[in-house]
Amino acid sequence: MTLAAASHGFLSPTGVEIAFLLVGLVTFGAAVLTVTTRQLVHAALWLVVALGGLAVEYLLLTAEFIAWVQVLIYVGAVVVLLLFGLMLTRAPVGRSPDADSGNGWAALTVAAASAAALVWVVVDAFRATWIDLDGPAAGSTAVTGASLFQNWVLPFEALSVLLLAALVGAIVLSRRAKAERTAGPPAAGPPAAHGADKGGVR
């Protein structure tokens, strides 16, 4: 345990810890609104708030490089790609009943179980680890970049392929809808002659 951990306890938090808690609550609220709103555009905008809150949390943890990567890649690229896909597919701006699959309770159960497992794993792994927020930064850009492109390169590339597939799918759907609109309804056949059903001519 470092001196920073021994100088104050749980009942005497610092200003950085209070800011971390407040930003975490805002981020959690934005994440809940992202998955509960029935308006697709609003969900994308709330996702911007959630990802921006995570970037602020990284800044408070003195991880400036990760914070800027969060802003540049997720807020500046992923969310823009999602909005671009929504515009291409002409997603409705208002409420979308199709956005509710009817499996809300199952999704909530899985999300709660996943969150509990993640919190337990993180707390158990870093139980005796303290971060000196007043000291110099513990990591560097070189170390973080090497870890990202050596240990996490496969998930990084898989995410890139997934986003590319989503963009291609949005373009295909938009072109199909445009072709159906330009084709118009099928032309009606010539009207039947009056009294032709009887086989005679009046």
Side-chain angles (χ1 to χ4, degrees), residues 115-129:
L118 181 61
V119 170
W120 181 80
V121 168
V122 172
V123 171
D124 185 70
F126 299 96
R127 187 183 303 274
T129 303

Side-chain angles (χ1 to χ4, degrees), residues 67-197:
W68 290 119
V69 168
Q70 175 82 11
V71 172
L72 293 176
I73 295 180
Y74 287 95
V75 180
V78 175
V79 176
V80 172
L81 181 60
L82 291 177
L83 293 175
F84 188 65
L86 290 177
M87 290 186 293
L88 280 178
T89 54
R90 297 183 180 272
V93 178
R95 295 176 63 86
S96 303
D98 296 337
D100 189 4
S101 63
N103 299 323
W105 288 107
L108 181 61
T109 302
V110 173
S114 302
L118 181 61
V119 170
W120 181 80
V121 168
V122 172
V123 171
D124 185 70
F126 299 96
R127 187 183 303 274
T129 303
W130 295 86
I131 299 176
D132 187 7
L133 299 178
D134 298 327
S140 62
T141 304
V143 174
T144 305
S147 176
L148 177 63
F149 291 103
Q150 288 180 359
N151 302 328
W152 300 97
V153 63
L154 183 60
F156 186 81
E157 294 299 330
L159 179 60
S160 302
V161 174
L162 179 61
L163 293 175
L164 179 61
L167 181 59
V168 172
I171 294 175
V172 171
L173 291 176
S174 64
R175 291 177 62 87
R176 181 181 302 174
K178 183 178 180 180
E180 292 176 354
R181 288 194 304 270
T182 55
H194 185 66
D197 55 343

Side-chain angles (χ1 to χ4, degrees), residues 8-10 22 26 31-32 34 48 58 72-73 134 136 150 184 202:
H8 65 278
F10 180 76
L22 294 178
V26 173
V32 171
T34 300
V48 173
Y58 288 137
L72 293 176
I73 295 180
D134 298 327
Q150 288 180 359
R202 294 183 181 180

